[in-house]
PDB file of all heavy atoms in Angstrom:
ATOM      1  N   HIS A  52      55.207  -9.472   5.896  1.00 97.00           N
ATOM      2  CA  HIS A  52      55.798 -10.356   4.895  1.00 97.00           C
ATOM      3  C   HIS A  52      54.936 -11.611   4.836  1.00 97.00           C
ATOM      4  O   HIS A  52      54.568 -12.164   5.875  1.00 97.00           O
ATOM      5  CB  HIS A  52      57.244 -10.716   5.268  1.00 97.00           C
ATOM      6  CG  HIS A  52      57.818 -11.786   4.394  1.00 97.00           C
ATOM      7  ND1 HIS A  52      58.252 -11.544   3.105  1.00 97.00           N
ATOM      8  CD2 HIS A  52      57.998 -13.121   4.608  1.00 97.00           C
ATOM      9  CE1 HIS A  52      58.669 -12.674   2.561  1.00 97.00           C
ATOM     10  NE2 HIS A  52      58.537 -13.644   3.454  1.00 97.00           N
ATOM     11  N   CYS A  53      54.591 -12.052   3.616  1.00 98.00           N
ATOM     12  CA  CYS A  53      53.791 -13.278   3.467  1.00 98.00           C
ATOM     13  C   CYS A  53      54.597 -14.264   2.636  1.00 98.00           C
ATOM     14  O   CYS A  53      54.911 -13.993   1.486  1.00 98.00           O
ATOM     15  CB  CYS A  53      52.458 -12.952   2.784  1.00 98.00           C
ATOM     16  SG  CYS A  53      51.448 -14.424   2.485  1.00 98.00           S
ATOM     17  N   ARG A  54      54.917 -15.421   3.237  1.00 97.00           N
ATOM     18  CA  ARG A  54      55.765 -16.393   2.528  1.00 97.00           C
ATOM     19  C   ARG A  54      54.960 -17.269   1.562  1.00 97.00           C
ATOM     20  O   ARG A  54      55.534 -18.047   0.809  1.00 97.00           O
ATOM     21  CB  ARG A  54      56.526 -17.268   3.539  1.00 97.00           C
ATOM     22  CG  ARG A  54      55.645 -18.153   4.362  1.00 97.00           C
ATOM     23  CD  ARG A  54      56.442 -19.173   5.183  1.00 97.00           C
ATOM     24  NE  ARG A  54      57.030 -18.613   6.391  1.00 97.00           N
ATOM     25  CZ  ARG A  54      57.413 -19.361   7.434  1.00 97.00           C
ATOM     26  NH1 ARG A  54      57.286 -20.682   7.393  1.00 97.00           N
ATOM     27  NH2 ARG A  54      57.936 -18.804   8.500  1.00 97.00           N
ATOM     28  N   PHE A  55      53.620 -17.150   1.587  1.00 96.00           N
ATOM     29  CA  PHE A  55      52.797 -18.014   0.738  1.00 96.00           C
ATOM     30  C   PHE A  55      52.448 -17.318  -0.566  1.00 96.00           C
ATOM     31  O   PHE A  55      52.103 -16.144  -0.571  1.00 96.00           O
ATOM     32  CB  PHE A  55      51.524 -18.441   1.476  1.00 96.00           C
ATOM     33  CG  PHE A  55      51.837 -19.030   2.816  1.00 96.00           C
ATOM     34  CD1 PHE A  55      51.494 -18.364   3.982  1.00 96.00           C
ATOM     35  CD2 PHE A  55      52.539 -20.221   2.910  1.00 96.00           C
ATOM     36  CE1 PHE A  55      51.833 -18.883   5.216  1.00 96.00           C
ATOM     37  CE2 PHE A  55      52.885 -20.754   4.141  1.00 96.00           C
ATOM     38  CZ  PHE A  55      52.533 -20.081   5.300  1.00 96.00           C
ATOM     39  N   SER A  56      52.536 -18.095  -1.636  1.00 93.00           N
ATOM     40  CA  SER A  56      52.303 -17.516  -2.948  1.00 93.00           C
ATOM     41  C   SER A  56      50.859 -17.807  -3.365  1.00 93.00           C
ATOM     42  O   SER A  56      50.533 -18.923  -3.759  1.00 93.00           O
ATOM     43  CB  SER A  56      53.308 -18.153  -3.911  1.00 93.00           C
ATOM     44  OG  SER A  56      52.967 -17.864  -5.207  1.00 93.00           O
ATOM     45  N   GLU A  57      50.022 -16.810  -3.181  1.00 95.00           N
ATOM     46  CA  GLU A  57      48.608 -16.929  -3.586  1.00 95.00           C
ATOM     47  C   GLU A  57      48.142 -15.531  -3.994  1.00 95.00           C
ATOM     48  O   GLU A  57      48.249 -14.589  -3.181  1.00 95.00           O
ATOM     49  CB  GLU A  57      47.771 -17.449  -2.400  1.00 95.00           C
ATOM     50  CG  GLU A  57      46.289 -17.583  -2.677  1.00 95.00           C
ATOM     51  CD  GLU A  57      45.974 -18.640  -3.734  1.00 95.00           C
ATOM     52  OE1 GLU A  57      46.708 -19.641  -3.827  1.00 95.00           O
ATOM     53  OE2 GLU A  57      45.014 -18.424  -4.491  1.00 95.00           O
ATOM     54  N   PRO A  58      47.636 -15.377  -5.225  1.00 95.00           N
ATOM     55  CA  PRO A  58      47.242 -14.037  -5.664  1.00 95.00           C
ATOM     56  C   PRO A  58      46.254 -13.385  -4.692  1.00 95.00           C
ATOM     57  O   PRO A  58      45.236 -13.979  -4.354  1.00 95.00           O
ATOM     58  CB  PRO A  58      46.576 -14.294  -7.026  1.00 95.00           C
ATOM     59  CG  PRO A  58      47.151 -15.593  -7.482  1.00 95.00           C
ATOM     60  CD  PRO A  58      47.434 -16.399  -6.253  1.00 95.00           C
ATOM     61  N   GLY A  59      46.597 -12.183  -4.240  1.00 96.00           N
ATOM     62  CA  GLY A  59      45.704 -11.413  -3.359  1.00 96.00           C
ATOM     63  C   GLY A  59      45.885 -11.698  -1.876  1.00 96.00           C
ATOM     64  O   GLY A  59      45.375 -10.950  -1.029  1.00 96.00           O
ATOM     65  N   LEU A  60      46.587 -12.797  -1.527  1.00 98.00           N
ATOM     66  CA  LEU A  60      46.691 -13.164  -0.108  1.00 98.00           C
ATOM     67  C   LEU A  60      47.482 -12.137   0.721  1.00 98.00           C
ATOM     68  O   LEU A  60      47.010 -11.735   1.791  1.00 98.00           O
ATOM     69  CB  LEU A  60      47.264 -14.574   0.051  1.00 98.00           C
ATOM     70  CG  LEU A  60      47.383 -15.071   1.489  1.00 98.00           C
ATOM     71  CD1 LEU A  60      46.023 -15.117   2.190  1.00 98.00           C
ATOM     72  CD2 LEU A  60      48.041 -16.449   1.548  1.00 98.00           C
ATOM     73  N   PRO A  61      48.662 -11.693   0.269  1.00 98.00           N
ATOM     74  CA  PRO A  61      49.385 -10.709   1.103  1.00 98.00           C
ATOM     75  C   PRO A  61      48.539  -9.471   1.373  1.00 98.00           C
ATOM     76  O   PRO A  61      48.437  -9.029   2.527  1.00 98.00           O
ATOM     77  CB  PRO A  61      50.624 -10.365   0.260  1.00 98.00           C
ATOM     78  CG  PRO A  61      50.808 -11.532  -0.647  1.00 98.00           C
ATOM     79  CD  PRO A  61      49.440 -12.082  -0.922  1.00 98.00           C
ATOM     80  N   GLU A  62      47.891  -8.940   0.325  1.00 98.00           N
ATOM     81  CA  GLU A  62      47.081  -7.720   0.486  1.00 98.00           C
ATOM     82  C   GLU A  62      45.943  -7.963   1.488  1.00 98.00           C
ATOM     83  O   GLU A  62      45.650  -7.118   2.334  1.00 98.00           O
ATOM     84  CB  GLU A  62      46.480  -7.286  -0.860  1.00 98.00           C
ATOM     85  CG  GLU A  62      47.505  -6.874  -1.909  1.00 98.00           C
ATOM     86  CD  GLU A  62      48.154  -8.054  -2.650  1.00 98.00           C
ATOM     87  OE1 GLU A  62      47.866  -9.222  -2.318  1.00 98.00           O
ATOM     88  OE2 GLU A  62      48.977  -7.803  -3.553  1.00 98.00           O
ATOM     89  N   LEU A  63      45.316  -9.139   1.357  1.00 98.00           N
ATOM     90  CA  LEU A  63      44.186  -9.472   2.246  1.00 98.00           C
ATOM     91  C   LEU A  63      44.653  -9.532   3.708  1.00 98.00           C
ATOM     92  O   LEU A  63      44.024  -8.961   4.610  1.00 98.00           O
ATOM     93  CB  LEU A  63      43.612 -10.829   1.821  1.00 98.00           C
ATOM     94  CG  LEU A  63      42.353 -11.308   2.532  1.00 98.00           C
ATOM     95  CD1 LEU A  63      41.171 -10.416   2.167  1.00 98.00           C
ATOM     96  CD2 LEU A  63      42.043 -12.748   2.145  1.00 98.00           C
ATOM     97  N   LEU A  64      45.771 -10.213   3.924  1.00 98.00           N
ATOM     98  CA  LEU A  64      46.286 -10.363   5.291  1.00 98.00           C
ATOM     99  C   LEU A  64      46.749  -9.020   5.853  1.00 98.00           C
ATOM    100  O   LEU A  64      46.436  -8.670   7.001  1.00 98.00           O
ATOM    101  CB  LEU A  64      47.449 -11.367   5.319  1.00 98.00           C
ATOM    102  CG  LEU A  64      47.078 -12.817   5.005  1.00 98.00           C
ATOM    103  CD1 LEU A  64      48.329 -13.660   4.844  1.00 98.00           C
ATOM    104  CD2 LEU A  64      46.189 -13.388   6.105  1.00 98.00           C
ATOM    105  N   PHE A  65      47.479  -8.263   5.046  1.00 98.00           N
ATOM    106  CA  PHE A  65      48.026  -6.994   5.553  1.00 98.00           C
ATOM    107  C   PHE A  65      46.899  -6.009   5.850  1.00 98.00           C
ATOM    108  O   PHE A  65      46.974  -5.243   6.815  1.00 98.00           O
ATOM    109  CB  PHE A  65      49.028  -6.383   4.568  1.00 98.00           C
ATOM    110  CG  PHE A  65      50.186  -7.300   4.239  1.00 98.00           C
ATOM    111  CD1 PHE A  65      50.958  -7.111   3.092  1.00 98.00           C
ATOM    112  CD2 PHE A  65      50.510  -8.360   5.078  1.00 98.00           C
ATOM    113  CE1 PHE A  65      52.014  -7.969   2.800  1.00 98.00           C
ATOM    114  CE2 PHE A  65      51.561  -9.221   4.784  1.00 98.00           C
ATOM    115  CZ  PHE A  65      52.311  -9.032   3.642  1.00 98.00           C
ATOM    116  N   SER A  66      45.837  -6.052   5.027  1.00 98.00           N
ATOM    117  CA  SER A  66      44.701  -5.165   5.279  1.00 98.00           C
ATOM    118  C   SER A  66      44.036  -5.537   6.617  1.00 98.00           C
ATOM    119  O   SER A  66      43.696  -4.661   7.418  1.00 98.00           O
ATOM    120  CB  SER A  66      43.738  -5.260   4.089  1.00 98.00           C
ATOM    121  OG  SER A  66      42.442  -5.046   4.472  1.00 98.00           O
ATOM    122  N   GLY A  67      43.871  -6.826   6.871  1.00 98.00           N
ATOM    123  CA  GLY A  67      43.299  -7.272   8.152  1.00 98.00           C
ATOM    124  C   GLY A  67      44.191  -6.900   9.320  1.00 98.00           C
ATOM    125  O   GLY A  67      43.723  -6.453  10.366  1.00 98.00           O
ATOM    126  N   LEU A  68      45.502  -7.069   9.144  1.00 98.00           N
ATOM    127  CA  LEU A  68      46.444  -6.739  10.219  1.00 98.00           C
ATOM    128  C   LEU A  68      46.454  -5.231  10.477  1.00 98.00           C
ATOM    129  O   LEU A  68      46.460  -4.783  11.622  1.00 98.00           O
ATOM    130  CB  LEU A  68      47.859  -7.216   9.843  1.00 98.00           C
ATOM    131  CG  LEU A  68      48.052  -8.742   9.842  1.00 98.00           C
ATOM    132  CD1 LEU A  68      49.310  -9.143   9.068  1.00 98.00           C
ATOM    133  CD2 LEU A  68      48.130  -9.276  11.272  1.00 98.00           C
ATOM    134  N   ASP A  69      46.425  -4.445   9.392  1.00 98.00           N
ATOM    135  CA  ASP A  69      46.453  -2.983   9.542  1.00 98.00           C
ATOM    136  C   ASP A  69      45.205  -2.475  10.269  1.00 98.00           C
ATOM    137  O   ASP A  69      45.277  -1.555  11.077  1.00 98.00           O
ATOM    138  CB  ASP A  69      46.556  -2.292   8.170  1.00 98.00           C
ATOM    139  CG  ASP A  69      47.937  -2.472   7.550  1.00 98.00           C
ATOM    140  OD1 ASP A  69      48.874  -2.852   8.287  1.00 98.00           O
ATOM    141  OD2 ASP A  69      48.075  -2.254   6.327  1.00 98.00           O
TER     142      ASP A  69
END
Side-chain angles (χ1 to χ4, degrees):
H52 171 77
C53 177
R54 66 170 79 160
F55 308 111
S56 168
E57 179 65 32
L60 181 60
E62 296 81 357
L63 185 68
L64 293 171
F65 302 160
S66 150
L68 290 163
D69 288 344

